[in-house]
Amino acid sequence: MIFFEWSEDYSVGDDEIDSQHKNLLGFLNKYYNAMNKGRGKNIMDAIFAEMKAYALYHFQSEEQRMEEAGYPDLDKHKKIHAAFVGKILEFEKKRDEGDLLVSVNLAKFLNSWLIEHIRGEDKKYSPYLTAK
Ligand SMILES: [Fe+2]
Protein backbone atom coordinates (compact mmCIF):
# COMPACT_ATOMS: atom_id res chain seq x y z
CA MET A 1 0.00 0.00 0.00
CA ILE A 2 1.18 3.48 -0.80
CA PHE A 3 0.75 5.90 2.06
CA PHE A 4 2.77 8.73 0.63
CA GLU A 5 2.48 9.52 -2.97
CA TRP A 6 4.85 11.69 -4.91
CA SER A 7 3.31 14.84 -6.24
CA GLU A 8 4.68 17.22 -8.88
CA ASP A 9 4.23 19.84 -6.23
CA TYR A 10 7.32 18.38 -4.51
CA SER A 11 9.55 18.74 -7.54
CA VAL A 12 12.66 20.87 -7.16
CA GLY A 13 13.09 20.85 -10.92
CA ASP A 14 16.04 18.50 -10.89
CA ASP A 15 15.64 14.87 -11.93
CA GLU A 16 18.39 13.50 -9.74
CA ILE A 17 17.21 15.17 -6.54
CA ASP A 18 13.58 14.44 -7.34
CA SER A 19 14.34 10.78 -7.78
CA GLN A 20 16.21 10.72 -4.46
CA HIS A 21 13.21 12.33 -2.77
CA LYS A 22 10.98 9.72 -4.41
CA ASN A 23 13.23 7.00 -3.03
CA LEU A 24 12.97 8.52 0.43
CA LEU A 25 9.19 8.46 0.19
CA GLY A 26 9.52 4.85 -0.99
CA PHE A 27 11.44 3.96 2.19
CA LEU A 28 8.85 5.73 4.27
CA ASN A 29 6.09 3.70 2.58
CA LYS A 30 8.05 0.53 3.26
CA TYR A 31 8.39 1.51 6.91
CA TYR A 32 4.68 2.34 7.25
CA ASN A 33 3.66 -0.90 5.59
CA ALA A 34 5.87 -2.96 7.85
CA MET A 35 4.51 -1.11 10.88
CA ASN A 36 0.95 -1.63 9.69
CA LYS A 37 1.51 -5.33 9.29
CA GLY A 38 2.99 -5.52 12.77
CA ARG A 39 6.40 -6.66 11.60
CA GLY A 40 8.89 -7.61 14.26
CA LYS A 41 11.68 -5.52 15.71
CA ASN A 42 14.38 -7.00 13.49
CA ILE A 43 12.57 -6.09 10.30
CA MET A 44 11.65 -2.61 11.55
CA ASP A 45 15.24 -1.98 12.63
CA ALA A 46 16.57 -3.13 9.27
CA ILE A 47 14.25 -0.82 7.31
CA PHE A 48 15.11 2.02 9.64
CA ALA A 49 18.84 1.45 9.10
CA GLU A 50 18.36 1.33 5.35
CA MET A 51 16.29 4.53 5.37
CA LYS A 52 18.79 6.32 7.58
CA ALA A 53 21.73 5.36 5.37
CA TYR A 54 19.86 6.58 2.32
CA ALA A 55 18.91 9.86 3.97
CA LEU A 56 22.56 10.50 4.86
CA TYR A 57 23.61 9.76 1.31
CA HIS A 58 20.87 12.03 0.00
CA PHE A 59 21.78 14.95 2.27
CA GLN A 60 25.37 14.68 1.19
CA SER A 61 24.53 14.72 -2.47
CA GLU A 62 21.98 17.52 -2.04
CA GLU A 63 24.52 19.64 -0.17
CA GLN A 64 27.10 19.01 -2.86
CA ARG A 65 24.67 20.09 -5.55
CA MET A 66 23.79 23.26 -3.63
CA GLU A 67 27.47 24.02 -3.23
CA GLU A 68 28.15 23.57 -6.94
CA ALA A 69 25.20 25.79 -7.74
CA GLY A 70 26.48 28.51 -5.41
CA TYR A 71 23.37 28.41 -3.23
CA PRO A 72 23.78 31.26 -0.71
CA ASP A 73 21.87 29.59 2.14
CA LEU A 74 23.89 26.39 2.06
CA ASP A 75 25.08 26.72 5.67
CA LYS A 76 21.57 27.18 6.98
CA HIS A 77 20.37 24.21 4.96
CA LYS A 78 23.24 22.07 6.25
CA LYS A 79 22.24 22.95 9.80
CA ILE A 80 18.66 21.86 9.12
CA HIS A 81 19.93 18.54 7.79
CA ALA A 82 22.20 18.13 10.83
CA ALA A 83 19.28 18.84 13.18
CA PHE A 84 17.28 16.18 11.38
CA VAL A 85 20.08 13.65 11.78
CA GLY A 86 20.24 14.54 15.48
CA LYS A 87 16.54 13.84 15.80
CA ILE A 88 16.94 10.49 14.07
CA LEU A 89 19.72 9.53 16.48
CA GLU A 90 17.42 10.45 19.36
CA PHE A 91 14.72 8.15 18.00
CA GLU A 92 17.28 5.42 17.61
CA LYS A 93 18.36 5.84 21.22
CA LYS A 94 14.77 5.72 22.47
CA ARG A 95 14.17 2.63 20.39
CA ASP A 96 17.22 0.95 21.88
CA GLU A 97 15.96 1.86 25.34
CA GLY A 98 12.81 -0.08 24.54
CA ASP A 99 10.32 2.70 23.79
CA LEU A 100 7.49 0.83 22.08
CA LEU A 101 5.97 3.90 20.49
CA VAL A 102 9.09 4.81 18.60
CA SER A 103 7.95 3.41 15.25
CA VAL A 104 4.70 5.36 15.30
CA ASN A 105 6.30 8.60 16.43
CA LEU A 106 9.17 8.22 14.03
CA ALA A 107 6.87 7.56 11.09
CA LYS A 108 4.80 10.65 11.97
CA PHE A 109 7.91 12.77 12.31
CA LEU A 110 9.41 11.55 9.04
CA ASN A 111 6.21 12.12 7.17
CA SER A 112 5.75 15.72 8.22
CA TRP A 113 9.46 16.50 8.07
CA LEU A 114 9.93 15.13 4.58
CA ILE A 115 6.92 16.83 3.11
CA GLU A 116 7.56 20.16 4.83
CA HIS A 117 11.27 20.09 4.15
CA ILE A 118 10.91 19.28 0.47
CA ARG A 119 8.15 21.81 -0.08
CA GLY A 120 9.78 24.48 2.05
CA GLU A 121 13.56 24.46 2.31
CA ASP A 122 14.40 22.30 -0.70
CA LYS A 123 12.25 24.35 -3.04
CA LYS A 124 14.32 27.41 -2.17
CA TYR A 125 17.44 26.05 -3.87
CA SER A 126 15.48 25.01 -6.94
CA PRO A 127 16.09 28.21 -8.96
CA TYR A 128 19.85 27.94 -8.34
CA LEU A 129 19.99 24.33 -9.46
CA THR A 130 17.92 24.86 -12.54
CA ALA A 131 19.79 28.00 -13.57
CA LYS A 132 22.91 25.92 -14.26
FE1 LIG B 1 17.24 19.32 2.07
Side-chain angles (χ1 to χ4, degrees):
M1 190 173 166
I2 296 173
F3 289 95
F4 309 106
E5 216 155 351
W6 172 260
S7 140
E8 270 313 309
D9 189 36
Y10 305 155
S11 176
V12 295
D14 180 272
D15 287 347
E16 189 196 356
I17 302 288
D18 281 351
S19 88
Q20 290 181 3
H21 284 153
K22 284 176 194 169
N23 288 336
L24 278 173
L25 285 178
F27 279 117
L28 193 52
N29 277 313
K30 199 171 162 186
Y31 192 79
Y32 253 72
N33 272 310
M35 195 172 71
N36 229 25
K37 288 179 182 152
R39 295 286 185 239
K41 182 169 166 33
N42 287 351
I43 293 178
M44 293 309 290
D45 288 359
I47 302 172
F48 179 85
E50 206 180 18
M51 188 158 59
K52 180 181 150 195
Y54 192 81
L56 294 176
Y57 156 75
H58 164 65
F59 287 164
Q60 219 172 30
S61 79
E62 202 181 60
E63 287 169 11
Q64 195 187 332
R65 292 292 305 279
M66 284 188 270
E67 191 160 4
E68 285 163 6
Y71 180 57
D73 277 332
L74 175 63
D75 280 347
K76 185 187 163 210
H77 203 124
K78 277 187 176 173
K79 279 184 191 138
I80 296 172
H81 284 167
F84 172 84
V85 174
K87 199 84 179 121
I88 291 300
L89 297 177
E90 253 175 57
F91 274 115
E92 227 172 9
K93 191 166 169 265
K94 279 188 196 153
R95 178 198 69 192
D96 293 342
E97 286 166 358
D99 182 345
L100 297 173
L101 278 175
V102 147
S103 300
V104 180
N105 291 334
L106 175 71
K108 272 192 209 157
F109 166 73
L110 290 176
N111 174 31
S112 57
W113 193 87
L114 255 185
I115 304 303
E116 278 164 28
H117 183 76
I118 295 174
R119 294 170 77 181
E121 287 307 313
D122 286 349
K123 283 252 182 184
K124 291 183 191 164
Y125 64 62
S126 175
Y128 292 86
L129 244 56
T130 50
K132 282 208 102 187

mmCIF file with all atom_site columns, all heavy atoms in Angstrom, residues 81-96:
data_model
loop_
_atom_site.group_PDB
_atom_site.id
_atom_site.type_symbol
_atom_site.label_atom_id
_atom_site.label_alt_id
_atom_site.label_comp_id
_atom_site.label_asym_id
_atom_site.label_entity_id
_atom_site.label_seq_id
_atom_site.pdbx_PDB_ins_code
_atom_site.Cartn_x
_atom_site.Cartn_y
_atom_site.Cartn_z
_atom_site.occupancy
_atom_site.B_iso_or_equiv
_atom_site.pdbx_formal_charge
_atom_site.auth_seq_id
_atom_site.auth_comp_id
_atom_site.auth_asym_id
_atom_site.auth_atom_id
_atom_site.pdbx_PDB_model_num
ATOM 1   N N   . HIS A 1 81 ? 19.673 19.966 7.988  1.00 0.00 ? 81 HIS A N   1
ATOM 2   C CA  . HIS A 1 81 ? 19.935 18.537 7.791  1.00 0.00 ? 81 HIS A CA  1
ATOM 3   C C   . HIS A 1 81 ? 20.556 17.927 9.051  1.00 0.00 ? 81 HIS A C   1
ATOM 4   O O   . HIS A 1 81 ? 20.178 16.835 9.477  1.00 0.00 ? 81 HIS A O   1
ATOM 5   C CB  . HIS A 1 81 ? 20.884 18.321 6.605  1.00 0.00 ? 81 HIS A CB  1
ATOM 6   C CG  . HIS A 1 81 ? 20.230 18.490 5.262  1.00 0.00 ? 81 HIS A CG  1
ATOM 7   N ND1 . HIS A 1 81 ? 20.949 18.598 4.103  1.00 0.00 ? 81 HIS A ND1 1
ATOM 8   C CD2 . HIS A 1 81 ? 18.926 18.568 4.904  1.00 0.00 ? 81 HIS A CD2 1
ATOM 9   C CE1 . HIS A 1 81 ? 20.111 18.733 3.085  1.00 0.00 ? 81 HIS A CE1 1
ATOM 10  N NE2 . HIS A 1 81 ? 18.875 18.726 3.549  1.00 0.00 ? 81 HIS A NE2 1
ATOM 11  N N   . ALA A 1 82 ? 21.516 18.654 9.638  1.00 0.00 ? 82 ALA A N   1
ATOM 12  C CA  . ALA A 1 82 ? 22.200 18.130 10.833 1.00 0.00 ? 82 ALA A CA  1
ATOM 13  C C   . ALA A 1 82 ? 21.211 17.970 11.992 1.00 0.00 ? 82 ALA A C   1
ATOM 14  O O   . ALA A 1 82 ? 21.272 16.988 12.746 1.00 0.00 ? 82 ALA A O   1
ATOM 15  C CB  . ALA A 1 82 ? 23.350 19.047 11.221 1.00 0.00 ? 82 ALA A CB  1
ATOM 16  N N   . ALA A 1 83 ? 20.280 18.929 12.114 1.00 0.00 ? 83 ALA A N   1
ATOM 17  C CA  . ALA A 1 83 ? 19.276 18.841 13.181 1.00 0.00 ? 83 ALA A CA  1
ATOM 18  C C   . ALA A 1 83 ? 18.390 17.616 12.958 1.00 0.00 ? 83 ALA A C   1
ATOM 19  O O   . ALA A 1 83 ? 18.009 16.919 13.906 1.00 0.00 ? 83 ALA A O   1
ATOM 20  C CB  . ALA A 1 83 ? 18.426 20.112 13.212 1.00 0.00 ? 83 ALA A CB  1
ATOM 21  N N   . PHE A 1 84 ? 18.097 17.355 11.704 1.00 0.00 ? 84 PHE A N   1
ATOM 22  C CA  . PHE A 1 84 ? 17.284 16.180 11.375 1.00 0.00 ? 84 PHE A CA  1
ATOM 23  C C   . PHE A 1 84 ? 18.016 14.900 11.781 1.00 0.00 ? 84 PHE A C   1
ATOM 24  O O   . PHE A 1 84 ? 17.431 14.018 12.414 1.00 0.00 ? 84 PHE A O   1
ATOM 25  C CB  . PHE A 1 84 ? 16.969 16.170 9.870  1.00 0.00 ? 84 PHE A CB  1
ATOM 26  C CG  . PHE A 1 84 ? 16.304 14.910 9.402  1.00 0.00 ? 84 PHE A CG  1
ATOM 27  C CD1 . PHE A 1 84 ? 14.940 14.745 9.515  1.00 0.00 ? 84 PHE A CD1 1
ATOM 28  C CD2 . PHE A 1 84 ? 17.055 13.875 8.846  1.00 0.00 ? 84 PHE A CD2 1
ATOM 29  C CE1 . PHE A 1 84 ? 14.324 13.572 9.082  1.00 0.00 ? 84 PHE A CE1 1
ATOM 30  C CE2 . PHE A 1 84 ? 16.449 12.705 8.418  1.00 0.00 ? 84 PHE A CE2 1
ATOM 31  C CZ  . PHE A 1 84 ? 15.087 12.557 8.536  1.00 0.00 ? 84 PHE A CZ  1
ATOM 32  N N   . VAL A 1 85 ? 19.288 14.833 11.432 1.00 0.00 ? 85 VAL A N   1
ATOM 33  C CA  . VAL A 1 85 ? 20.076 13.650 11.778 1.00 0.00 ? 85 VAL A CA  1
ATOM 34  C C   . VAL A 1 85 ? 20.110 13.475 13.303 1.00 0.00 ? 85 VAL A C   1
ATOM 35  O O   . VAL A 1 85 ? 19.956 12.362 13.812 1.00 0.00 ? 85 VAL A O   1
ATOM 36  C CB  . VAL A 1 85 ? 21.509 13.736 11.185 1.00 0.00 ? 85 VAL A CB  1
ATOM 37  C CG1 . VAL A 1 85 ? 22.372 12.577 11.660 1.00 0.00 ? 85 VAL A CG1 1
ATOM 38  C CG2 . VAL A 1 85 ? 21.451 13.745 9.656  1.00 0.00 ? 85 VAL A CG2 1
ATOM 39  N N   . GLY A 1 86 ? 20.248 14.594 14.019 1.00 0.00 ? 86 GLY A N   1
ATOM 40  C CA  . GLY A 1 86 ? 20.238 14.538 15.481 1.00 0.00 ? 86 GLY A CA  1
ATOM 41  C C   . GLY A 1 86 ? 18.948 13.944 16.009 1.00 0.00 ? 86 GLY A C   1
ATOM 42  O O   . GLY A 1 86 ? 18.936 13.134 16.934 1.00 0.00 ? 86 GLY A O   1
ATOM 43  N N   . LYS A 1 87 ? 17.852 14.334 15.400 1.00 0.00 ? 87 LYS A N   1
ATOM 44  C CA  . LYS A 1 87 ? 16.536 13.840 15.801 1.00 0.00 ? 87 LYS A CA  1
ATOM 45  C C   . LYS A 1 87 ? 16.433 12.324 15.543 1.00 0.00 ? 87 LYS A C   1
ATOM 46  O O   . LYS A 1 87 ? 15.885 11.587 16.367 1.00 0.00 ? 87 LYS A O   1
ATOM 47  C CB  . LYS A 1 87 ? 15.503 14.608 14.966 1.00 0.00 ? 87 LYS A CB  1
ATOM 48  C CG  . LYS A 1 87 ? 14.116 14.603 15.488 1.00 0.00 ? 87 LYS A CG  1
ATOM 49  C CD  . LYS A 1 87 ? 13.850 15.660 16.548 1.00 0.00 ? 87 LYS A CD  1
ATOM 50  C CE  . LYS A 1 87 ? 12.398 15.544 16.944 1.00 0.00 ? 87 LYS A CE  1
ATOM 51  N NZ  . LYS A 1 87 ? 12.072 15.281 18.276 1.00 0.00 ? 87 LYS A NZ  1
ATOM 52  N N   . ILE A 1 88 ? 16.958 11.911 14.413 1.00 0.00 ? 88 ILE A N   1
ATOM 53  C CA  . ILE A 1 88 ? 16.941 10.487 14.073 1.00 0.00 ? 88 ILE A CA  1
ATOM 54  C C   . ILE A 1 88 ? 17.756 9.673  15.086 1.00 0.00 ? 88 ILE A C   1
ATOM 55  O O   . ILE A 1 88 ? 17.339 8.599  15.514 1.00 0.00 ? 88 ILE A O   1
ATOM 56  C CB  . ILE A 1 88 ? 17.506 10.284 12.629 1.00 0.00 ? 88 ILE A CB  1
ATOM 57  C CG1 . ILE A 1 88 ? 16.533 10.864 11.598 1.00 0.00 ? 88 ILE A CG1 1
ATOM 58  C CG2 . ILE A 1 88 ? 17.807 8.829  12.304 1.00 0.00 ? 88 ILE A CG2 1
ATOM 59  C CD1 . ILE A 1 88 ? 15.162 10.235 11.622 1.00 0.00 ? 88 ILE A CD1 1
ATOM 60  N N   . LEU A 1 89 ? 18.895 10.222 15.485 1.00 0.00 ? 89 LEU A N   1
ATOM 61  C CA  . LEU A 1 89 ? 19.723 9.530  16.480 1.00 0.00 ? 89 LEU A CA  1
ATOM 62  C C   . LEU A 1 89 ? 18.997 9.423  17.823 1.00 0.00 ? 89 LEU A C   1
ATOM 63  O O   . LEU A 1 89 ? 19.100 8.419  18.523 1.00 0.00 ? 89 LEU A O   1
ATOM 64  C CB  . LEU A 1 89 ? 21.075 10.238 16.656 1.00 0.00 ? 89 LEU A CB  1
ATOM 65  C CG  . LEU A 1 89 ? 21.974 10.261 15.403 1.00 0.00 ? 89 LEU A CG  1
ATOM 66  C CD1 . LEU A 1 89 ? 23.250 11.042 15.659 1.00 0.00 ? 89 LEU A CD1 1
ATOM 67  C CD2 . LEU A 1 89 ? 22.311 8.839  14.928 1.00 0.00 ? 89 LEU A CD2 1
ATOM 68  N N   . GLU A 1 90 ? 18.223 10.477 18.135 1.00 0.00 ? 90 GLU A N   1
ATOM 69  C CA  . GLU A 1 90 ? 17.424 10.455 19.361 1.00 0.00 ? 90 GLU A CA  1
ATOM 70  C C   . GLU A 1 90 ? 16.384 9.332  19.313 1.00 0.00 ? 90 GLU A C   1
ATOM 71  O O   . GLU A 1 90 ? 16.185 8.608  20.284 1.00 0.00 ? 90 GLU A O   1
ATOM 72  C CB  . GLU A 1 90 ? 16.641 11.767 19.467 1.00 0.00 ? 90 GLU A CB  1
ATOM 73  C CG  . GLU A 1 90 ? 17.132 12.737 20.501 1.00 0.00 ? 90 GLU A CG  1
ATOM 74  C CD  . GLU A 1 90 ? 16.346 14.035 20.414 1.00 0.00 ? 90 GLU A CD  1
ATOM 75  O OE1 . GLU A 1 90 ? 15.099 14.011 20.533 1.00 0.00 ? 90 GLU A OE1 1
ATOM 76  O OE2 . GLU A 1 90 ? 16.989 15.080 20.173 1.00 0.00 ? 90 GLU A OE2 1
ATOM 77  N N   . PHE A 1 91 ? 15.720 9.223  18.171 1.00 0.00 ? 91 PHE A N   1
ATOM 78  C CA  . PHE A 1 91 ? 14.725 8.152  17.998 1.00 0.00 ? 91 PHE A CA  1
ATOM 79  C C   . PHE A 1 91 ? 15.383 6.780  18.142 1.00 0.00 ? 91 PHE A C   1
ATOM 80  O O   . PHE A 1 91 ? 14.844 5.888  18.774 1.00 0.00 ? 91 PHE A O   1
ATOM 81  C CB  . PHE A 1 91 ? 14.058 8.245  16.614 1.00 0.00 ? 91 PHE A CB  1
ATOM 82  C CG  . PHE A 1 91 ? 12.887 9.178  16.564 1.00 0.00 ? 91 PHE A CG  1
ATOM 83  C CD1 . PHE A 1 91 ? 12.921 10.334 15.796 1.00 0.00 ? 91 PHE A CD1 1
ATOM 84  C CD2 . PHE A 1 91 ? 11.715 8.900  17.260 1.00 0.00 ? 91 PHE A CD2 1
ATOM 85  C CE1 . PHE A 1 91 ? 11.839 11.203 15.734 1.00 0.00 ? 91 PHE A CE1 1
ATOM 86  C CE2 . PHE A 1 91 ? 10.617 9.763  17.205 1.00 0.00 ? 91 PHE A CE2 1
ATOM 87  C CZ  . PHE A 1 91 ? 10.681 10.906 16.440 1.00 0.00 ? 91 PHE A CZ  1
ATOM 88  N N   . GLU A 1 92 ? 16.560 6.681  17.566 1.00 0.00 ? 92 GLU A N   1
ATOM 89  C CA  . GLU A 1 92 ? 17.283 5.419  17.615 1.00 0.00 ? 92 GLU A CA  1
ATOM 90  C C   . GLU A 1 92 ? 17.611 5.045  19.068 1.00 0.00 ? 92 GLU A C   1
ATOM 91  O O   . GLU A 1 92 ? 17.490 3.892  19.469 1.00 0.00 ? 92 GLU A O   1
ATOM 92  C CB  . GLU A 1 92 ? 18.585 5.576  16.829 1.00 0.00 ? 92 GLU A CB  1
ATOM 93  C CG  . GLU A 1 92 ? 18.842 4.440  15.880 1.00 0.00 ? 92 GLU A CG  1
ATOM 94  C CD  . GLU A 1 92 ? 20.041 4.732  14.981 1.00 0.00 ? 92 GLU A CD  1
ATOM 95  O OE1 . GLU A 1 92 ? 20.771 5.727  15.209 1.00 0.00 ? 92 GLU A OE1 1
ATOM 96  O OE2 . GLU A 1 92 ? 20.239 3.964  14.059 1.00 0.00 ? 92 GLU A OE2 1
ATOM 97  N N   . LYS A 1 93 ? 18.008 6.053  19.823 1.00 0.00 ? 93 LYS A N   1
ATOM 98  C CA  . LYS A 1 93 ? 18.363 5.835  21.221 1.00 0.00 ? 93 LYS A CA  1
ATOM 99  C C   . LYS A 1 93 ? 17.128 5.373  22.009 1.00 0.00 ? 93 LYS A C   1
ATOM 100 O O   . LYS A 1 93 ? 17.175 4.405  22.754 1.00 0.00 ? 93 LYS A O   1
ATOM 101 C CB  . LYS A 1 93 ? 18.918 7.142  21.797 1.00 0.00 ? 93 LYS A CB  1
ATOM 102 C CG  . LYS A 1 93 ? 19.556 7.006  23.149 1.00 0.00 ? 93 LYS A CG  1
ATOM 103 C CD  . LYS A 1 93 ? 20.375 8.251  23.510 1.00 0.00 ? 93 LYS A CD  1
ATOM 104 C CE  . LYS A 1 93 ? 20.793 8.232  24.957 1.00 0.00 ? 93 LYS A CE  1
ATOM 105 N NZ  . LYS A 1 93 ? 19.874 8.973  25.844 1.00 0.00 ? 93 LYS A NZ  1
ATOM 106 N N   . LYS A 1 94 ? 16.010 6.088  21.772 1.00 0.00 ? 94 LYS A N   1
ATOM 107 C CA  . LYS A 1 94 ? 14.772 5.718  22.466 1.00 0.00 ? 94 LYS A CA  1
ATOM 108 C C   . LYS A 1 94 ? 14.362 4.294  22.111 1.00 0.00 ? 94 LYS A C   1
ATOM 109 O O   . LYS A 1 94 ? 13.895 3.536  22.954 1.00 0.00 ? 94 LYS A O   1
ATOM 110 C CB  . LYS A 1 94 ? 13.644 6.677  22.071 1.00 0.00 ? 94 LYS A CB  1
ATOM 111 C CG  . LYS A 1 94 ? 13.691 7.981  22.834 1.00 0.00 ? 94 LYS A CG  1
ATOM 112 C CD  . LYS A 1 94 ? 12.447 8.807  22.551 1.00 0.00 ? 94 LYS A CD  1
ATOM 113 C CE  . LYS A 1 94 ? 12.632 10.241 22.977 1.00 0.00 ? 94 LYS A CE  1
ATOM 114 N NZ  . LYS A 1 94 ? 11.804 11.172 22.211 1.00 0.00 ? 94 LYS A NZ  1
ATOM 115 N N   . ARG A 1 95 ? 14.520 3.983  20.837 1.00 0.00 ? 95 ARG A N   1
ATOM 116 C CA  . ARG A 1 95 ? 14.169 2.633  20.395 1.00 0.00 ? 95 ARG A CA  1
ATOM 117 C C   . ARG A 1 95 ? 15.019 1.603  21.136 1.00 0.00 ? 95 ARG A C   1
ATOM 118 O O   . ARG A 1 95 ? 14.514 0.599  21.623 1.00 0.00 ? 95 ARG A O   1
ATOM 119 C CB  . ARG A 1 95 ? 14.411 2.525  18.885 1.00 0.00 ? 95 ARG A CB  1
ATOM 120 C CG  . ARG A 1 95 ? 14.118 1.146  18.334 1.00 0.00 ? 95 ARG A CG  1
ATOM 121 C CD  . ARG A 1 95 ? 14.747 0.935  16.987 1.00 0.00 ? 95 ARG A CD  1
ATOM 122 N NE  . ARG A 1 95 ? 16.199 0.860  17.071 1.00 0.00 ? 95 ARG A NE  1
ATOM 123 C CZ  . ARG A 1 95 ? 17.015 0.910  16.028 1.00 0.00 ? 95 ARG A CZ  1
ATOM 124 N NH1 . ARG A 1 95 ? 16.515 1.057  14.817 1.00 0.00 ? 95 ARG A NH1 1
ATOM 125 N NH2 . ARG A 1 95 ? 18.320 0.832  16.175 1.00 0.00 ? 95 ARG A NH2 1
ATOM 126 N N   . ASP A 1 96 ? 16.321 1.887  21.219 1.00 0.00 ? 96 ASP A N   1
ATOM 127 C CA  . ASP A 1 96 ? 17.224 0.947  21.878 1.00 0.00 ? 96 ASP A CA  1
ATOM 128 C C   . ASP A 1 96 ? 16.956 0.861  23.378 1.00 0.00 ? 96 ASP A C   1
ATOM 129 O O   . ASP A 1 96 ? 17.309 -0.124 24.021 1.00 0.00 ? 96 ASP A O   1
ATOM 130 C CB  . ASP A 1 96 ? 18.682 1.322  21.593 1.00 0.00 ? 96 ASP A CB  1
ATOM 131 C CG  . ASP A 1 96 ? 19.020 1.133  20.115 1.00 0.00 ? 96 ASP A CG  1
ATOM 132 O OD1 . ASP A 1 96 ? 18.250 0.413  19.430 1.00 0.00 ? 96 ASP A OD1 1
ATOM 133 O OD2 . ASP A 1 96 ? 20.017 1.698  19.647 1.00 0.00 ? 96 ASP A OD2 1
#
